[in-house]
Amino acid sequence: MKIALVTRRYPPLIGGAEKVLSYLAEAFADAGAEVSVLTSRLDPTLPALERPRPRLEIVRLPTSPVRILGTWIHMTAIQRWLARHPVDLAYVSMMKHDAYATLGAGAKRGFPVVLRPEGAGATGDVAWQKWGRFGSRIAARCRTATAYTAISSAVRDELEADGYPSERIVDIPNGVPMPETAWVPPEQPRRAVYVGRLAREKGLDVLIESWRRVVERAPDARLRLVGDGPIRGELEALTEEVGLDESVEFAGAKPDASSDLAAGDLFVLPSREEGMSIALLEAMALGIPVAATSIPGNRRLIEPGEHGRLAAVDDPIDLADTILASWSDPAGSARMGRAARERVRAEFSIERVARVHLEFFERLIR
């Protein structure tokens, strides 16, 4: 099976979507598919992290830093590549400009195109089609896709509510690799870790506010924020304003945050919106105790009291109480971490998720 995996962003660019696509690409290739990842050419200042892997090629297509021009150049490059290289199926991340270009090529060349919305809510794909440049035109073409994968019920609900045919939507969750070694409690307790973009939808302003309450009751508590994003400066200013400089660390973006997770004893995810968080899945796969907000994407993964603890959204008091509750019951927290790890192994390992994808793709191709 020859698959074109189309995504504008790919590692070393860091984000949940980028990570899961790289995991899928490698797992597809390991399962025997021939995979070509069509993505944008890297900024020359970024390191190239591609490692040779059988049956997997990373194709860096031209673009431009000029926003509209860069999009047009990249879309044209996608269509030209697909015209010159026969594929059995194309799998496209996000229902935006890349999807438009790939669907046009699929219609001409006769191969199925599957679209993969990466999120729901105000920052999701369906919402973007309402306000994005050429969004309505892109949405009209997206409705011609062969099929769609929904990583969560929230994504499926939005697609159906916007008129996407339910019979063409298949539910396939995100997946992550299983670490060989499970989490063990670190020597220094009360070390919380967040991994992800520093963006408004992640609820980090609420986390900072809750952290002030945490350190009032646990002065030795420390919070490490691993990631970067548009509101980093704002969060740093807020941290300084409320006097938390000594207990909150901004570690920046990293291609691999496993060592940060291993050094902590609690993963915190205060998001307002999530499709299905890769950072949360990776924390669960490791087995570190988890405190997250009670939003649909997180509730899909965590049964409260069984796999972790959930706090109310936009509620710094409840979030602080949830963080402190995890530390006040280390044995119970560790038990939930172990259960979360086993749940990921059974339902969300990248090998299982890739196999479900490939079986679905084979049916479409036939």
Side-chain angles (χ1 to χ4, degrees), residues 17-324:
E18 292 81 9
K19 270 192 167 186
V20 74
L21 289 168
S22 68
Y23 293 156
L24 279 172
E26 294 180 356
F28 289 163
D30 289 346
E34 299 285 341
V35 184
S36 297
V37 178
L38 308 187
T39 188
S40 59
R41 186 169 293 163
L42 280 174
D43 181 325
T45 63
L46 291 174
L49 299 182
E50 277 105 38
R51 295 168 297 175
R53 199 182 194 97
R55 296 181 296 277
L56 173 61
E57 65 170 338
I58 312 300
V59 182
R60 297 282 179 184
L61 299 174
T63 184
S64 166
V66 180
R67 188 173 179 185
I68 298 175
L69 177 62
T71 298
W72 180 82
I73 291 173
H74 188 68
M75 291 172 67
T76 303
I78 289 172
Q79 292 180 319
R80 286 176 177 169
W81 192 95
L82 290 169
R84 296 169 183 165
H85 301 82
V87 299
D88 297 314
L89 177 141
Y91 191 32
V92 188
S93 171
M94 297 190 184
M95 302 198 305
K96 298 183 180 180
H97 301 88
D98 288 7
Y100 186 92
T102 307
L103 284 162
K108 287 182 180 179
R109 304 290 163 184
F111 57 80
V113 177
V114 181
L115 304 185
R116 174 189 167 86
E118 296 292 354
T123 59
D125 297 62
V126 170
W128 178 88
Q129 291 180 348
K130 307 293 186 191
W131 59 263
R133 186 181 295 273
F134 305 115
S136 60
R137 184 174 178 180
I138 290 171
R141 181 171 284 187
C142 284
R143 287 183 172 81
T144 69
T146 312
Y148 313 87
T149 57
I151 59 175
S152 68
S153 59
V155 171
R156 170 180 273 278
D157 291 346
E158 283 195 2
L159 288 171
E160 292 179 341
D162 205 53
Y164 287 90
S166 59
E167 66 273 12
R168 282 192 260 154
I169 304 170
V170 61
D171 300 300
I172 306 180
N174 282 334
V176 295
M178 288 297 301
E180 292 183 8
T181 304
W183 173 85
V184 294
E187 293 182 4
Q188 289 185 309
R190 290 180 287 281
R191 295 294 186 268
V193 183
Y194 163 86
V195 179
R197 272 173 52 79
L198 307 188
R200 197 160 305 281
E201 66 270 16
K202 298 298 184 178
L204 296 166
D205 52 330
V206 178
L207 177 57
I208 298 299
E209 176 62 28
S210 75
W211 201 252
R212 182 167 55 175
R213 302 170 187 275
V214 168
V215 296
E216 287 175 357
R217 294 160 62 181
D220 62 339
R222 296 293 181 267
L223 171 63
R224 185 173 176 83
L225 303 177
V226 181
D228 210 341
I231 65 167
R232 176 170 178 167
E234 180 182 326
L235 292 171
E236 288 176 330
L238 176 61
T239 301
E240 185 175 354
E241 178 185 328
V242 297
L244 295 174
D245 323 40
E246 298 298 320
S247 63
V248 178
E249 177 188 1
F250 290 82
K254 298 183 178 183
D256 183 359
S258 56
S259 61
D260 298 278
L261 287 173
D265 62 356
L266 181 66
F267 174 76
V268 184
L269 186 67
S271 302
R272 297 180 170 101
E273 298 173 1
E274 291 286 352
M276 179 175 283
S277 169
I278 294 300
L280 177 55
L281 276 173
E282 289 181 328
M284 293 172 66
L286 182 64
I288 183 174
V290 167
T293 42
S294 184
I295 56 176
N298 295 345
R299 291 197 300 270
R300 167 74 175 86
L301 299 175
I302 296 174
E303 181 67 30
E306 185 173 343
H307 308 107
R309 292 178 170 85
L310 297 179
V313 183
D314 281 328
D315 188 334
I317 296 176
D318 194 39
L319 182 57
D321 289 344
T322 302
I323 291 169
L324 291 163

Side-chain angles (χ1 to χ4, degrees), residues 300-303 307 339-348:
R300 167 74 175 86
L301 299 175
I302 296 174
E303 181 67 30
H307 308 107
R341 177 172 162 87
E342 291 311 308
R343 183 173 194 195
V344 173
R345 188 192 305 278
E347 300 180 46
F348 305 106

Side-chain angles (χ1 to χ4, degrees), residues 2-17:
K2 294 182 179 179
I3 300 172
L5 200 163
V6 186
T7 172
R8 187 69 179 270
R9 292 171 55 88
Y10 196 77
L13 300 174
I14 302 300

